[in-house]
Amino acid sequence: MGDNTYNPEKLVDNYLRMPYGKARTAAMRYAMEQADLNNDLEYMLYFRMELCDETEWYGNGLDNFVVFPELLAIVDKNPDNGKISRKRFYEIMGNILWTYESLLSLCSEYYQIPLKDCINFHNDFKKRWTAYGRSPREPYRMMCGFYRDAGYTDKAGEALSMLKASPMEDYDCTGCIANTELSYYLSINEKEKADRLAEKIEDGTYKCGGFNLSNSNAIPRMHKHYLNYYLLHGDYEKAAEKAYILEHCRSSVIDYKLWASFMCSYVYTNTGRGLRVYKKHWKDIENEQRPEYMYGSFKDAACFFMGLKKVKGKDTIKLPLDNTFPLYNEENIYNIDSLARYYYKKAEDVAKKFDKRNGTDRYVNELGISVKNILAGGMAAV
């Protein structure tokens, strides 16, 4: 018979040996349940943090909105932390707060989370972050990004002002702060201010954490912001420059693998390259699960095929798609307008859901501008 004695270290070793995905997530849930049954406070918290990190990248991020509140409830029910040393609990709380940031990022990625809940999460994060003895700079940075994404540029600007008015801390990630500020300036068309920040990101004045310049995520994140800006404004030549940099970026972060954005960037400057990206990555576009990234992928795929129709001057194209594609046909000959409509409708559906959640028109308006620009050949609508 096997040894059924509770051993949290063995439970960790068990799921770490598994590939990312459903089996690993299930093993984490089992570990979490075992910690709960044994009332092991430290691992009750640890396994929930692990599960949140796992599902954010390799599962359904919506699960975090169930698991993470459970974690917070456990913390709130154990204010004296009698089973863990004060020093260790302080370390754990620091990790919990960083995990909380991931949850806040998901508020921008999933329209299923009500706006009121998103705002409440941000306010609670600020309360817990400052109670931990830290400056409110990071909560204000997160608020700035959320309100920018939701289409509330005035509130984003207010949060940015509060960030700048708060005292700096040694742990500040200057790269993250600079990119948040840069993205805000691009969203309100103050590109000169953004460009000044970009210079300091590129020369390493602002970088992420303790990484050296070559390993800092600040630079690819900056290129991503500019890629989105140039696409929205119909400057496909500059967008193609950013797309090429990101396409060959050494970072393994999936957020920088914006295949549909690369296609759209290349449609007028290097059409063949754009087609090659689509043929290689159409399944990645189709299988995207995060609504914000679904919107961006479908929007840019729609614009790619609209532009392709102008470039090719013909109605059909041959593509090596398989029978998992909704418009699949055995001849592999596809009507370009049908492909554009297919992706446009999917983008429009997600855009309307985000705008309904947010109470703004940011997504639908952005979709309309993008289509107008691609049909005009660039820089017509902004």
Side-chain angles (χ1 to χ4, degrees), residues 20-60:
Y20 296 114
K22 292 182 178 179
R24 184 168 171 145
T25 300
M28 287 180 171
R29 289 188 181 280
Y30 175 76
M32 186 177 76
E33 292 166 0
Q34 292 302 303
D36 290 352
L37 288 171
N38 286 275
N39 201 27
D40 185 345
L41 178 59
E42 180 170 352
Y43 277 96
M44 289 166 67
L45 299 173
Y46 178 78
F47 287 136
R48 282 174 170 80
M49 284 189 287
E50 287 277 88
L51 184 58
C52 286
D53 289 341
E54 181 76 12
T55 54
E56 179 188 2
W57 295 103
Y58 304 103
N60 186 344

Side-chain angles (χ1 to χ4, degrees), residues 70-87:
E70 289 179 1
L71 186 155
L72 293 179
I74 293 170
V75 170
D76 293 341
K77 287 178 182 177
N78 294 273
D80 58 354
N81 319 321
K83 296 184 178 181
I84 306 175
S85 70
R86 183 178 295 275
K87 179 180 179 182

Side-chain angles (χ1 to χ4, degrees), residues 287-332:
N287 294 333
E288 177 59 66
Q289 297 297 310
R290 298 166 296 171
E292 185 186 37
Y293 287 84
M294 290 165 62
Y295 163 75
S297 294
F298 299 149
K299 170 180 67 68
D300 291 340
C303 289
F304 170 76
F305 283 109
M306 291 176 189
L308 184 67
K309 176 72 177 291
K310 289 174 64 69
V311 172
K312 292 290 186 181
K314 58 182 183 180
D315 295 330
T316 61
I317 188 169
K318 187 169 185 176
L319 294 169
L321 311 181
D322 64 32
N323 61 8
T324 63
F325 186 64
L327 303 185
Y328 172 75
N329 66 74
E330 292 183 355
E331 293 77 22
N332 285 327

Side-chain angles (χ1 to χ4, degrees), residues 107-108 115 118-119 122 142-150 357:
C107 288
S108 290
L115 181 67
C118 294
I119 294 171
H122 276 276
M142 298 299 293
M143 286 181 184
C144 177
F146 173 74
Y147 282 125
R148 177 203 63 219
D149 292 341
R357 191 280 299 266

